[in-house]
Amino acid sequence: MAPEPERTQKSRERILDAAADAFMLHGFRETTIDDVAQSIGATKGLIYYHFRSKLDILLAVYERGMERAEEKVQPHAQDSASPAERLRAMSVAHLVNIMTFLGYHHVIHQAVREQNSAAVKPRQREALDRLNEQRSQFEALFRAVIEEGIAEGSFRDADPALMARTLLSSINAVDNWFRPRADQSAEEIEELAGQIVDLILHGIR
Amino acid sequence: MAPEPERTQKSRERILDAAADAFMLHGFRETTIDDVAQSIGATKGLIYYHFRSKLDILLAVYERGMERAEEKVQPHAQDSASPAERLRAMSVAHLVNIMTFLGYHHVIHQAVREQNSAAVKPRQREALDRLNEQRSQFEALFRAVIEEGIAEGSFRDADPALMARTLLSSINAVDNWFRPRADQSAEEIEELAGQIVDLILHGIR
DNA sequence: GTCTATAAGCCGATAGAC
DNA sequence: GTCTATCGGCTTATAGAC
């Protein structure tokens, strides 16, 4: 538990941020380690000091992204509001987080889609399995609130698992088309996220 | 316009089907031309007889996928039913098509996400632009019906462009998790597609 | 901690035989 | 039309200097 030197932590984070953006912009395989290094004004050597392989960087980005997602959504899952209000708050928090850390979430979706792509070593497979498990627990947060809402009679009586999955993948899909504009404030993003979430939660009627 | 020999056509189609599946399973860049060739019991030579480059295969898959999507959805856009009924019929037709030709649509979404990835030659850039244009006209089909529904008062009064985009990306996102089971009949897929579309169109209430 | 230099493997693409 | 053989370029990862 000895705290790492500050410079070490900072280099690590700069690499993660740069890698997330590069992986989003060009795809994992198309991004070279040299690209990532160059974009933070360093060379390959630095990267390989902090990470054992390119795939390990991807896994670290995945982990950091899930960490933030849970941090933002958890609190709303447990407060005292009604299921409908909680589900909306969770959805907006999740979407705002996606829109704010686009690169990280783009990487997560890439990773989920292309699990069998690269050569995954046993150690990495373990980490990947842990992350996928974390992801399905994240989905369970939403499913639980949906089940409450159904029991209570305020939600439609359909398969909660299908509802949770449809809801989450609809929200996640926003990262396919949303790109922040330079002049867009945090408030504007929150406002847009609210509109989109209402469309998803209430449909078109 | 001289019709090509039958064998030529058939090889071309087998390559497209195999490539779509391989690109879905392993990603575009991770798939080698040797993989595609081997999966149809042929060698690289055959592929390069029919296609000039790997990217050209991707573009051909994209093209074929859009062709089918339009074929299935167009008829429902123009019939005499109400906007709500037409929008549902279009959505179900689109989703069933995605679920049936998963590989093709997975490739389309990959291509859309990673436009700037590979080195795109001018001739290919032209083809890609044409396909993107075709894609936005496909979206316009949905937007037009939504606008009708709003004007008529049966849909919610929100931004039609945002509604169409949210609807389509929600439907498209299904290809991230849906995988057909061997024992799943066409009727069961249609039934599931209907459920999902209703969730997306009407929300959770 | 970070850099330079290089090894080692892989893959897209082509040439030419059949 | 399809196959075999091969080139050339690129990229991950490592070794070792500073």
Side-chain angles (χ1 to χ4, degrees):
Chain A
M1 267 298 176
E4 283 176 342
E6 200 173 315
R7 181 153 61 132
T8 302
Q9 266 301 347
K10 209 149 201 173
S11 281
R12 211 186 122 91
E13 259 183 54
R14 289 180 67 221
I15 293 173
L16 287 187
D17 288 348
D21 283 349
F23 292 164
M24 167 171 68
L25 217 59
H26 307 291
F28 175 68
R29 189 61 192 270
E30 284 82 355
T31 302
T32 69
I33 302 268
D34 282 320
D35 291 341
V36 177
Q38 216 171 8
S39 76
I40 57 170
T43 67
K44 266 207 274 259
L46 176 67
I47 311 269
Y48 279 107
Y49 176 77
H50 290 281
F51 297 95
R52 294 170 66 171
S53 75
K54 192 168 122 173
L55 185 55
D56 285 302
I57 305 176
L58 183 100
L59 292 173
V61 171
Y62 191 157
E63 190 176 10
R64 187 84 189 85
M66 284 306 303
E67 213 174 282
R68 273 203 210 96
E70 272 187 15
E71 242 172 64
K72 306 285 183 186
V73 170
Q74 267 280 14
H76 300 289
Q78 311 175 313
D79 67 22
S80 59
S82 72
E85 284 168 327
R86 270 185 287 153
L87 190 61
R88 182 177 194 280
M90 291 165 69
S91 300
V92 172
H94 182 42
L95 184 50
V96 168
N97 184 39
I98 288 176
M99 289 167 126
T100 311
F101 295 96
L102 258 185
Y104 281 83
H105 289 275
H106 212 88
V107 166
I108 291 180
H109 301 148
Q110 248 178 244
V112 170
R113 273 191 307 267
E114 297 174 22
Q115 306 258 350
N116 342 33
S117 295
V120 182
K121 295 195 171 115
R123 160 183 62 86
Q124 298 167 327
R125 166 57 58 191
E126 233 177 273
L128 197 50
D129 289 344
R130 239 187 16 253
L131 288 166
N132 286 331
E133 171 58 25
Q134 201 172 341
R135 211 178 125 79
S136 85
Q137 281 180 14
F138 183 74
E139 191 171 316
L141 287 180
F142 286 80
R143 194 170 54 243
V145 177
I146 288 174
E147 277 163 357
E148 262 189 74
I150 295 175
E152 201 203 49
S154 59
F155 293 167
R156 187 129 71 101
D157 188 17
D159 177 8
L162 186 63
M163 286 170 93
R165 187 177 288 159
T166 301
L167 170 60
L168 267 181
S169 64
S170 296
I171 294 175
N172 291 337
V174 172
D175 78 359
N176 281 319
W177 57 266
F178 174 76
R179 292 296 175 272
R181 293 195 320 267
D183 60 343
Q184 216 159 11
S185 70
E187 286 75 26
E188 286 172 313
I189 287 186
E190 178 119 17
E191 154 73 15
L192 178 56
Q195 279 180 37
I196 294 171
V197 164
D198 285 336
L199 280 177
I200 294 175
L201 286 179
H202 304 132
I204 53 159
R205 324 211 153 220
Chain B
M1 269 296 174
E4 283 176 343
E6 202 173 315
R7 181 150 65 132
T8 303
Q9 266 301 345
K10 209 151 204 173
S11 281
R12 212 187 120 91
E13 259 183 53
R14 289 181 68 222
I15 294 174
L16 286 186
D17 287 348
D21 283 348
F23 292 164
M24 168 173 66
L25 217 58
H26 307 291
F28 174 68
R29 190 61 192 272
E30 285 84 354
T31 302
T32 67
I33 302 268
D34 281 319
D35 291 340
V36 177
Q38 214 171 9
S39 75
I40 56 168
T43 66
K44 266 205 272 257
L46 177 66
I47 311 267
Y48 278 105
Y49 175 76
H50 290 281
F51 297 94
R52 294 172 65 172
S53 78
K54 193 169 132 177
L55 184 56
D56 284 301
I57 304 176
L58 182 99
L59 293 173
V61 171
Y62 191 159
E63 188 175 13
R64 187 84 187 82
M66 284 308 301
E67 213 175 283
R68 274 204 210 96
E70 272 187 14
E71 241 173 65
K72 305 284 182 186
V73 170
Q74 266 281 12
H76 300 289
Q78 312 176 310
D79 67 22
S80 59
S82 73
E85 284 169 326
R86 269 185 287 155
L87 189 61
R88 183 178 192 278
M90 290 164 71
S91 301
V92 172
H94 182 41
L95 184 50
V96 168
N97 184 39
I98 287 176
M99 290 167 125
T100 311
F101 295 95
L102 258 186
Y104 282 84
H105 289 274
H106 212 89
V107 166
I108 290 179
H109 302 148
Q110 250 179 243
V112 170
R113 272 190 308 268
E114 297 173 22
Q115 306 256 351
N116 341 33
S117 296
V120 182
K121 297 193 169 116
R123 161 183 61 87
Q124 298 167 327
R125 167 56 57 192
E126 234 178 273
L128 196 53
D129 288 345
R130 238 186 16 251
L131 287 167
N132 287 331
E133 172 58 26
Q134 200 171 341
R135 209 178 126 79
S136 86
Q137 281 180 13
F138 183 74
E139 192 171 314
L141 287 181
F142 286 80
R143 194 170 54 242
V145 177
I146 288 174
E147 278 164 355
E148 261 188 76
I150 294 175
E152 198 205 50
S154 58
F155 293 166
R156 190 130 70 100
D157 189 16
D159 177 8
L162 185 63
M163 288 171 93
R165 187 178 287 160
T166 301
L167 169 61
L168 267 182
S169 64
S170 297
I171 295 174
N172 290 337
V174 171
D175 78 359
N176 281 319
W177 58 266
F178 175 75
R179 292 296 175 272
R181 293 196 319 267
D183 60 341
Q184 217 159 11
S185 69
E187 285 75 26
E188 284 172 314
I189 289 186
E190 178 119 17
E191 154 72 17
L192 178 57
Q195 279 180 38
I196 296 171
V197 165
D198 285 336
L199 280 177
I200 295 175
L201 286 180
H202 304 130
I204 52 159
R205 322 211 158 221

